[in-house]
Each structure stands twice: as structure tokens, then as C-alpha cells.
Amino acid sequence: MTPRILAAGDQALTVELSSEVDEVVNARVIALARSLADDPLPGVEETVPTYRSLLVLYDPGTVRGAALGAALLERLGALDVRAGAARLWHVPVEYGGETALDLEEMARMKEMSPDELIALHGSAEYRVHMIGFAPGFTYLGGLPERLHTPRRATPRQFVAASSIGIGGKQASVNSVAGPSGWRFLGRTPLVPFDPAREEPFLFRAGDRIRFHPVTSAEAARLDAALARGESPVTPEVAA
């Protein structure tokens, strides 16, 4: 579809690139957000990438919406959508235990052992499509097709922060505790959202993630390191 500029209140525009969820479209969304961060247009204050659109918040005292919309379309037309440098996170996961709410049931549903399910889940490289509905909640593409599973018919009222989930064709990393209908395999000691950090969200749209299992003892060691303010896991940066 032809990109559209849609008003989102009186201080934001939505640049809608497609009506479909597609990795190529998502790459253009993230590239546009990166372009505006590196070379801001006058009046632009913040951008929020989603699967297929970019929310652009602006100061109406500096720029009018119509003029900004035209400038955004011009920027989009000249956009370089090469992948560039991307961060790759190796995310430790404690599969099993109290946070593996659906591991055993999913293994039965998929007619595999829990260890086989864990291995399959960890075999993929996931892409962060967007951060949304809760602060730092990480939506991931790349889930192996065999693990595609509908959400639960009845959501749970409480799921712990940092839980590792599956919902339909998507994977996720929970950010804050709360209700959820996703299915959960375990948890990571990493903290996706910390408002006290200089950069509150750990992951960004466009990042890559690989999960790998750790024992309960290893998870406890990482928990302790993070509590001391250490950063035991840092991303690789590759072109």
C-alpha cells in the first residue's frame, strides 16, 4: 500500500506503511525511526516504532502537522533501509520452575519432550519487532512454526516480570508483572524494564535475540550480579 500519514491527536502523526505485518515493512519502520533520531526534523520530539507504522510525536508550536507529514513522506522516499549494525543479545533463560507455567502442557500438545521443546525454542534467532503494550514488553518474530500456539482461552491474572512467552506466531519477553493470556516457558534473570536505568528499556526494535538455557544456580548468580548493579550480559554488535 502507499504510505499514509494519519493524525493521532493534535501532537502526533502516524506514518502507516502497510496493512500487513511483514519483516520488510517493519525494517522500514525502524529505519525511519533511526533516521529521525540521527537527523531529526524540526519539531519532532519522539518516535515509537510498531510492526507496520511509526508514531511521531511533535511540538505543534514548532511545526504544523501538514508540513511535518509532507517532510516525513519525503524522508521515507529517500530512506536507506540497509540493516546496518544490529545488536544481538544472548538471553539466558531458566526453563522450568515456578515461571514455566505452560512448558509441560505445551510439550504434550506438540508431542515432544520438554527438553526437545526447549531446544527448538532456543534454536531460532528472534527479531524484536516492537516494544509495546506494557513498558519494555518485547514482541519477537522468528518463532519456529512448530511452536506456534494460540493464547490461553482464560488469561492468568498474574505472570511474573521477565517471563519468556509464546502467543500465536510470536514470542515475547515480559517486562512487568501482570495478567496475560500468553503461554510461558520460564524466565530470564535480565530486566527488560528498569525506570532507574539511563536507558529504561533493555531491548530496542530491530535487536536480535537468541535464548539459551541456564540452570537455577546460574540464574541465581545472574540475579545476584544484577542486584549489585553489574551487567553480566551485554549485546554483540555486528554489521
Side-chain angles (χ1 to χ4, degrees), residues 92-104 106 117-118 121 159-166 172-174 183-189 211 214:
V93 180
E94 180 186 4
Y95 293 96
E98 293 181 357
T99 55
L101 303 172
D102 299 286
L103 178 61
E104 297 286 343
M106 275 197 63
L117 192 152
I118 291 167
H121 184 259
V159 174
S162 300
S163 295
I164 303 299
I166 288 175
S172 69
V173 184
N174 252 29
R183 299 175 187 269
F184 292 94
L185 308 180
R187 64 108 190 179
T188 178
F211 297 114
V214 295

Side-chain angles (χ1 to χ4, degrees), residues 52-54 62 76 86 88 93 132 168 179-180 196 200:
R52 57 186 182 85
S53 64
L54 182 70
T62 302
L76 186 61
L88 173 62
V93 180
S180 178

Side-chain angles (χ1 to χ4, degrees), residues 27-206:
R28 291 188 73 202
V29 170
I30 293 168
L32 180 58
R34 186 178 297 121
S35 172
L36 291 170
D38 294 341
D39 182 16
L41 292 170
V44 171
E45 297 182 331
E46 185 178 359
T47 63
V48 182
T50 73
Y51 277 105
R52 57 186 182 85
S53 64
L54 182 70
L55 180 68
V56 179
L57 291 89
Y58 67 93
D59 175 10
T62 302
V63 63
R64 305 303 295 170
L68 178 59
L72 288 168
L73 289 176
E74 183 178 353
R75 178 70 64 90
L76 186 61
L79 198 62
D80 183 354
V81 197
R82 290 176 297 181
R87 302 193 305 177
L88 173 62
W89 293 87
H90 295 276
V91 174
V93 180
E94 180 186 4
Y95 293 96
E98 293 181 357
T99 55
L101 303 172
D102 299 286
L103 178 61
E104 297 286 343
E105 181 183 5
M106 275 197 63
R108 290 193 296 271
M109 291 169 61
K110 304 301 180 182
E111 298 183 340
M112 60 176 72
S113 70
D115 285 345
E116 288 173 327
L117 192 152
I118 291 167
L120 182 57
H121 184 259
S123 69
E125 184 171 289
Y126 299 84
R127 184 173 185 276
V128 180
H129 279 154
M130 62 175 283
I131 304 296
F133 88 99
F137 186 94
T138 307
Y139 286 95
L140 303 174
L143 182 70
E145 186 173 356
R146 193 176 177 192
L147 295 182
H148 293 182
T149 309
R151 292 169 176 78
R152 292 170 50 89
T154 303
R156 294 184 174 92
Q157 293 306 300
F158 180 86
V159 174
S162 300
S163 295
I164 303 299
I166 288 175
K169 299 179 180 181
Q170 301 173 101
S172 69
V173 184
N174 252 29
S175 55
V176 296
S180 178
W182 292 54
R183 299 175 187 269
F184 292 94
L185 308 180
R187 64 108 190 179
T188 178
L190 303 187
V191 181
F193 173 63
D194 180 354
R197 277 195 307 243
E198 182 177 353
E199 189 171 351
F201 297 167
L202 185 64
F203 306 117
R204 304 175 195 152

